[in-house]
Structure formats: structure tokens, C-alpha cells
Amino acid sequence: MKRLITLFRRYRTFYVLSLSVILLGLVGLLLGEKGDLVLYFNSMESEKADGFFLWMTLLGEITGGIIVFLMLLLLAERRFILVFIASVILSTSVTQGLKHSVFKGERRPIVSYDYLKPIEDLDRHRTNSFPSGHTTAAFTFMSLLALGIKRKSVQVIAPLLGGLIGLSRVYLGQHYLNDIVAGAVLGLFLTSIVYYVFQEKKWI
């Protein structure tokens, strides 16, 4: 427990902002229906916003993983790459297990709202909505950046960027708000656990 408290204190800026982003999502769920944000974004759809969020969502895919991996290679201790590998494997396994086994067939927004405006070059999925794999990956990647690079600027930017990547999934009509909130919690929690275990075992 003492080490967990020390971990939170050492990276308190990152954890406070990350938990604030998650709390905002929870407040949104309490104040409205889970599809309200999907419909709100759809009503504001524009070509520029489409381009921005299509680019942002790439950071929750292998593109984002490669960028983070290279940044850690350059700016973090070499052994931290082990934390990267373990965190990505764990978060991917848990998220995909939940999506395809526990919550298999969970409907995505396009099933309920088939009138969503189409977005060029976007194929909207119809099932396996919960939790958001992109958001889990985003918060895994951002947590790794904050824990590995240890710069205050990274601790500020990382959770905000993770939140934007999550919102991109709602804007694109691929996920509901509860999907991305769950993904953010998973990415943050699982990566923190991996980092904690590696420290306890003195592997880093």
C-alpha cells in the first residue's frame, strides 16, 4: 500500500487529471442517456472535425503504439520497454476478452441510430461495443508515457490526449460514452498495476 501511495504522489498530476477525465465521463452518464453524446456530436459533424477525429482515433491503434514505443526508446530507461510490452499484452487481452466473451454482441450506436451521418472512409462496426478497445489502448499508451518519461508536461498532456482519443470514438459513432469510460479505467488501472508489480519485483 505504501508503494501505491508513493506511486500516486510521484505522478499525482497525471493521476489527478486522468481521474478527472474519467469523472467527467461518469457525470455525463449520470446526467443523460448513454447515446446523448453520440447524437450531439453527430449534429455538429463537419468535414474538418471528421478529419481531426479520424486522425485522433489512429493514436488508439498500432500507429499510436509505435509512436509511444519510439518515444520510450528515446526518452525512458531501456528496461521500461518491458513494462510497455507487458502492459499492452495485458490490456489488449483483458479488453478483447470482455468484448468477445463477457459482453459479446453488445450493440454499437449505428444499430440504435441508423440515421447517423456517414463519414467518408469510415466503416462503422455494429457489435462488440463494450468496452472501447481504442480508449483502453489510448490510456495504456498515455499511462506508459507519463510513467516512463517522468516529465511534468507529459503528465499534463497524456491524460488530455487520452480523453480526446476516447471522444474520437464517440464522435465517429463507434462507441457510447460508457464504452470509453470503461476503456479509460481499464487502460489506467492495468498499466498502473503492471508498473507497480515491476517495481515490487525490482525488474525496473
Side-chain angles (χ1 to χ4, degrees), residues 34-54:
K34 69 176 185 178
D36 286 351
L37 192 58
V38 175
L39 296 178
Y40 174 73
F41 278 148
N42 191 246
S43 68
M44 298 181 64
E45 186 265 343
S46 69
E47 189 174 334
K48 288 185 178 180
D50 292 351
F52 173 75
F53 283 114
L54 283 169

Side-chain angles (χ1 to χ4, degrees), residues 6 98 105 158-159 172:
T6 301
L98 290 171
L172 297 173

Side-chain angles (χ1 to χ4, degrees), residues 89-99 131 186 190:
I89 290 174
L90 179 61
S91 64
T92 301
S93 299
V94 171
T95 304
Q96 294 305 312
L98 290 171
K99 288 169 75 73
L186 285 171
L190 294 174

Side-chain angles (χ1 to χ4, degrees), residues 187-199:
L188 179 66
F189 176 75
L190 294 174
T191 305
S192 298
I193 289 299
V194 170
Y195 183 73
Y196 170 75
V197 169
F198 270 65
Q199 281 200 320

Side-chain angles (χ1 to χ4, degrees), residues 123-204:
D123 179 25
R124 290 191 173 106
H125 303 299
R126 302 182 65 84
T127 58
N128 300 329
S129 183
F130 185 90
S132 166
H134 280 71
T135 310
T136 304
F139 272 84
T140 297
F141 297 153
M142 295 306 113
S143 297
L144 287 164
L145 279 180
L147 297 173
I149 296 178
K150 301 180 178 66
R151 294 181 183 176
K152 184 61 69 71
S153 58
V154 177
Q155 291 190 49
V156 172
I157 294 170
L160 301 179
L161 189 55
L164 275 174
I165 296 169
L167 283 179
S168 75
R169 304 306 291 163
V170 180
Y171 176 89
L172 297 173
Q174 296 283 34
H175 285 285
Y176 292 107
L177 180 58
N178 63 314
D179 300 334
I180 68 167
V181 170
V185 172
L186 285 171
L188 179 66
F189 176 75
L190 294 174
T191 305
S192 298
I193 289 299
V194 170
Y195 183 73
Y196 170 75
V197 169
F198 270 65
Q199 281 200 320
E200 280 289 291
K201 298 293 185 180
K202 294 182 170 50
W203 291 339
I204 58 172

